[in-house]
Amino acid sequence: MIKRSLFVAAALLASTASVQAYTPVTDARLANPEPHNWLMTRGNYQGWSYSPLDQINVRNVKKLVPVWTFATGKRSGHQSPPIVNDGYMFITQPDNQVIALDARTGEEIWRFQGQGPEEFSALHNTNRGVSLYDDKVYVAMLYGDLVALEAKTGKVAWKTTVANWKVGEYMTMAPLTVKGKIVVGISGGEFGVRGFIAAYDAKTGQQVWKTYTIPAPGEPGSETWRGDDWKRGGASAWMTGNYDVETNTIYWGTGNASPWFGDQRPGDNLYTASTLALDGDTGKIKGHFQYHWNDSWDWDEMNAPMLVDYNYRGRNVRGLIKVSRNGYLYWLERLQNGAIGFVDAKPYVYQDVFASIDPKTGRPTYHPDKVPGTGKKASFCPSLWGGKDWPFEAYNPKLGMIYIPANDNHCGFLEGKVQEYVAGKWWTGVDIPDIGFTVKKDAKSFGEIQAWDIGAGKKTWTVLYPNSMNWGSILTTAGGLVFNGGTQDRMFRAYDARTGEQLWQIKTSSGIIAPPASYMIDGVQYIAVQAGWGVDPQFQQGLLANLIPGWPKATTEGGVLWVFALQE
Amino acid sequence: MGEHERERQVCGCGLARREVVLGAAALGATIPVVAAAADNERRPKAGDRLVHSMGPKKGQPLRVEDLPLGGPGVLAFPMDPSGLVLDGSRFNEVVAVRLDPASLGEETRKGAAEGVVVYSSICSHEACPVNMWNDYEKMLVCSCHGSMFDPREKAAVVFGPAPRRLAQLPVKVESGVLVVTGPFDGRIGAVRAA
């Protein structure tokens, strides 16, 4: 009897959930997403992390209150934004979980739990979100599968294996949907992988193309490698790319070279620490820009640049803006043939490695004493986590400003050794306990939000966090606001995008390292973000607690989605 | 996924796959007949010897003199009496450390021999290899998130996100070679849904 009642209840729930129609996602919608939805990780193909909604604005943001919350049931780092399509919301968590919610009420519609191999080990147990196409939801499993789920039910439509976890390949990024294809890239730069980006047919799961981020012998760029170094040369592709609809060009970032010490793989090592321009149909490499050659600092340049058109020094540029892990802010140009041109670069945090940057090509020269090597210890700033790690910067087109979640006043030191390669194991040339991390003695702050006027090439305001790094992605809105979490004190804050004045804050359940998103239903604008501390911010926090007296050793874990709206 | 697979996920406490299948069959459980897992996947048990899992001595017996007193540790796999190295499962890899016997806690000493302690090298946090060494603090270190374990005290967690200690593998020394005297004394790997 009890069993029967339960069954009836379950059936009712399912039917309630299924009455809501699902709006198919098309190429046209992805190219011009409606302001009331959040159809992809960074809101649009340009990667702006910008919402055109302005119901919540500088005048009323003080009235922002939580309207519902949702416990995800997971620990570890929550790093995915809510993806919203006409009432449906999709969030992902560590341990290969996807949840569909009613974006208005917070009712759970379905839940998908991926099952990985028992022996899989996770360097970064996280996930950065889903992509959408037609009536399906796409998610990358940590252990290397790409899975297509029916958006209304969560049932598996197809799955395919992309990455081989036994050699250290895994996936954490949100896929990118491009013209009926689902594009993904692999993680694994600490395990001696050869990175790649691959596209799969959205309907069938068949692979359409696969492009290695390191050329094989004979291919263009292979001359920048010695012998067989390219086979384990790194250049993972662990963050979602951006897309230029007009030229059908995908811009995708690549990670550190492997192992970490450049003298173990002489040469420029293309295309490590680069942005690649790929043909959307074929994956063919049309252009590239390498931020630093022969990487020796574990400075991944995995984030794709934002597509921003700007006027700089009197010239209109079809541009790219890249906030690099190496501590420099780059103004680049999208050329029609797919090549990437260099316009300018300026440090946005203290950086002591570059001696100069070629004004024509953007190629840096290095201070030799700042380049760690095998048996050669060197210190450098910023540390391997960079001026900014993966969290997203944002661009506000109404103001022509970008907002950077930066970290300053931290440095690192490394000394390399030759490590025996064992498939699937850490292979960087340095053991974890020997990774040097320091902070400046007189530092008054660490985490920051920086606002830059892109056309003027100038920083206009800065928010400083004296007691925390900033690991939070930024959301900016047409309401003139900047939203940011990222601090270990569990706060979520709103600032005036013009001035940096803090207008609102709330203490949440855990540290926020997931990107916020905004959407509107029935005339109500919502701001939504997952709290859930873990992974690198947690590790770095432990290091800081050893260095700075009184620094909190830990921030509580556990995922909760928070949804805010204006108090009526 | 067969019943025996689920059993292994709940507890990897040293039960061989074959043993679990036989046990379930004896209880009358209706399970499909499955091919026995490769023999080199079974967990270590009494009588297995340890061999180097990497480096120039890979595959050779692990001898006490191979271990520097006071660390760092050396990675090893068990080898069954027939000479089969049990490297079919990464959950079989262990780390052996040689310490001053007087520095070992009472419980730890029960599974130690000549100051050598052997632990699972699979971290309880995210199942990463515990194959690194903090020479300043003389602690075992996980290669993913830096969790530290005290080899003198049953590999208790002293730093980092790991939720529990590493399982100890009890050993004795025979003619200078490390020999297993029983199964792991705890769970192997991380506990998670996926």
Side-chain angles (χ1 to χ4, degrees), chain A residues 52-378:
Chain A
L53 299 175
D54 61 1
Q55 183 180 79
I56 301 166
N57 55 53
V58 288
R59 289 180 301 282
N60 60 24
V61 68
K62 282 191 169 60
K63 294 181 184 168
L64 205 59
V65 292
V67 290
W68 53 269
T69 60
F70 184 91
T72 70
K74 296 292 187 187
R75 294 178 61 173
S76 195
H78 286 53
Q79 301 187 339
S80 91
I83 301 296
V84 179
N85 178 25
D86 285 353
Y88 279 78
M89 173 190 286
F90 307 99
I91 51 175
T92 70
Q93 291 81 32
D95 293 341
N96 307 299
Q97 182 173 270
V98 187
I99 297 172
L101 299 166
D102 181 321
R104 187 173 58 83
T105 64
E107 290 301 318
E108 182 172 329
I109 301 171
W110 53 257
R111 182 182 296 233
F112 170 79
Q113 175 63 67
Q115 293 286 336
E118 182 192 3
E119 297 191 0
F120 173 79
S121 66
L123 177 56
H124 298 102
N125 185 358
T126 192
N127 184 276
R128 301 198 178 87
V130 302
S131 80
L132 306 179
Y133 196 63
D134 197 13
D135 57 355
K136 293 185 181 59
V137 175
Y138 302 88
V139 60
M141 299 284 100
L142 259 184
Y143 54 88
D145 281 3
L146 175 62
V147 180
L149 303 169
E150 302 292 350
K152 286 186 72 170
T153 63
K155 284 185 180 150
V156 176
W158 55 257
K159 59 181 175 179
T160 188
T161 298
V162 175
N164 178 7
W165 66 270
K166 291 189 173 176
V167 299
E169 298 172 352
Y170 61 109
M171 293 197 290
T172 57
M173 44 79 253
L176 175 72
T177 303
V178 172
K179 290 168 67 184
K181 293 177 291 299
I182 307 303
V183 186
V184 293
I186 61 158
S187 305
E190 277 61 57
F191 303 102
V193 302
R194 179 185 178 210
F196 64 83
I197 302 156
Y200 295 82
D201 184 287
K203 274 199 168 59
T204 66
Q206 294 296 307
Q207 190 179 93
V208 181
W209 54 259
K210 177 176 180 177
T211 299
Y212 281 99
T213 54
I214 299 180
E219 293 175 349
S222 59
E223 69 283 358
T224 66
W225 290 90
R226 174 194 69 180
D228 286 341
D229 294 348
W230 60 278
K231 290 180 178 171
R232 296 173 187 158
S236 60
W238 58 274
M239 287 301 296
T240 312
N242 293 321
Y243 178 58
D244 187 338
V245 176
E246 193 184 321
T247 61
N248 189 27
T249 305
I250 298 169
Y251 294 92
W252 203 288
T254 65
N256 60 279
S258 171
W260 284 357
F261 301 91
D263 59 358
Q264 293 185 27
R265 40 171 172 73
D268 278 9
N269 307 140
L270 290 174
Y271 301 97
T272 65
S274 301
T275 296
L276 289 172
L278 306 168
D279 182 277
D281 294 335
T282 64
K284 186 174 181 295
I285 296 174
K286 298 199 282 190
H288 75 277
F289 182 84
Q290 188 177 49
Y291 298 90
H292 46 273
W293 47 274
N294 193 240
D295 171 45
S296 295
W297 308 272
D298 186 31
W299 284 337
D300 301 57
E301 297 301 354
M302 62 289 172
N303 284 70
M306 295 187 294
L307 278 60
V308 176
D309 295 342
Y310 54 86
N311 183 286
Y312 198 73
R313 293 175 184 156
R315 192 165 74 86
N316 286 321
V317 180
R318 288 184 78 251
L320 296 168
I321 297 292
K322 171 74 162 83
V323 184
S324 287
R325 194 150 142 180
N326 69 24
Y328 274 68
L329 171 59
Y330 289 79
W331 286 254
L332 303 171
E333 182 166 10
R334 283 173 288 152
L335 299 167
Q336 281 298 336
N337 64 359
I340 300 172
F342 175 76
V343 177
D344 200 5
K346 295 178 179 182
Y348 66 96
V349 293
Y350 178 67
Q351 207 259 33
D352 64 2
V353 173
F354 290 4
S356 66
I357 288 190
D358 186 294
K360 280 205 167 58
T361 65
R363 182 183 173 88
T365 60
Y366 305 143
H367 294 294
D369 61 332
K370 294 293 177 184
V371 183
T374 309
K376 177 195 169 195
K377 182 176 168 179

Side-chain angles (χ1 to χ4, degrees), chain A residues 74 76 95-96 113-116 118-125 420 422 425-426 431-433 538-539 542 546, chain B residues 8-9 54-55 75 89-91 93 126-129 131-134 141-146 159 161 192-194:
Chain A
K74 296 292 187 187
S76 195
D95 293 341
N96 307 299
Q113 175 63 67
Q115 293 286 336
E118 182 192 3
E119 297 191 0
F120 173 79
S121 66
L123 177 56
H124 298 102
N125 185 358
E420 180 180 344
V422 179
K425 280 189 181 170
W426 181 271
D431 285 349
I432 291 265
Q538 184 181 50
F539 178 50
N546 280 344
Chain B
R8 278 183 84 225
Q9 278 200 320
M54 58 184 290
L75 292 171
S89 164
R90 62 178 290 266
F91 278 20
E93 195 164 29
E126 294 288 0
C128 296
N131 59 356
M132 296 179 179
W133 182 250
N134 183 321
V141 181
C142 171
S143 62
C144 279
H145 308 102
F159 175 82
R192 57 184 180 213

Side-chain angles (χ1 to χ4, degrees), chain B:
Chain B
M1 183 179 280
E3 194 65 33
H4 66 298
E5 286 281 356
R6 276 203 286 276
E7 187 72 31
R8 278 183 84 225
Q9 278 200 320
V10 173
C11 176
C13 320
L15 291 169
R17 283 187 177 193
R18 183 176 282 169
E19 287 168 344
V20 178
V21 172
L22 290 174
L27 289 170
T30 50
I31 54 165
V33 176
V34 292
D39 289 344
N40 66 353
E41 290 182 19
R42 77 151 170 83
R43 296 283 174 262
K45 61 182 183 183
D48 292 339
R49 296 192 298 166
L50 296 185
V51 297
H52 289 264
S53 62
M54 58 184 290
K57 291 185 176 175
K58 183 177 177 177
Q60 292 179 25
L62 180 63
R63 306 183 65 85
V64 175
E65 68 239 33
D66 295 337
L67 300 166
L69 182 62
V74 170
L75 292 171
F77 274 117
M79 182 176 77
D80 78 5
S82 78
L84 179 71
V85 178
L86 305 179
D87 60 0
S89 164
R90 62 178 290 266
F91 278 20
N92 280 344
E93 195 164 29
V94 295
V95 56
V97 193
R98 185 176 163 210
L99 301 161
D100 176 359
S103 72
L104 302 181
E106 197 178 326
E107 285 300 309
T108 306
R109 206 177 301 154
K110 288 178 186 169
E114 298 183 19
V116 177
V117 285
V118 178
Y119 296 102
S120 167
S121 71
I122 304 299
C123 187
S124 57
H125 177 223
E126 294 288 0
C128 296
V130 179
N131 59 356
M132 296 179 179
W133 182 250
N134 183 321
D135 200 44
Y136 179 71
E137 303 199 37
K138 307 292 181 194
M139 297 286 176
L140 295 162
V141 181
C142 171
S143 62
C144 279
H145 308 102
S147 287
M148 287 206 292
F149 305 88
D150 185 349
R152 289 157 293 269
E153 296 293 344
K154 301 289 278 185
V157 181
V158 292
F159 175 82
R164 54 182 285 127
R165 69 179 184 87
L166 305 173
Q168 187 175 9
L169 187 67
V171 291
K172 62 182 178 181
V173 176
E174 275 182 9
S175 309
V177 173
L178 287 158
V179 178
V180 178
T181 59
F184 282 119
D185 74 345
R187 203 159 55 196
I188 308 298
V191 178
R192 57 184 180 213

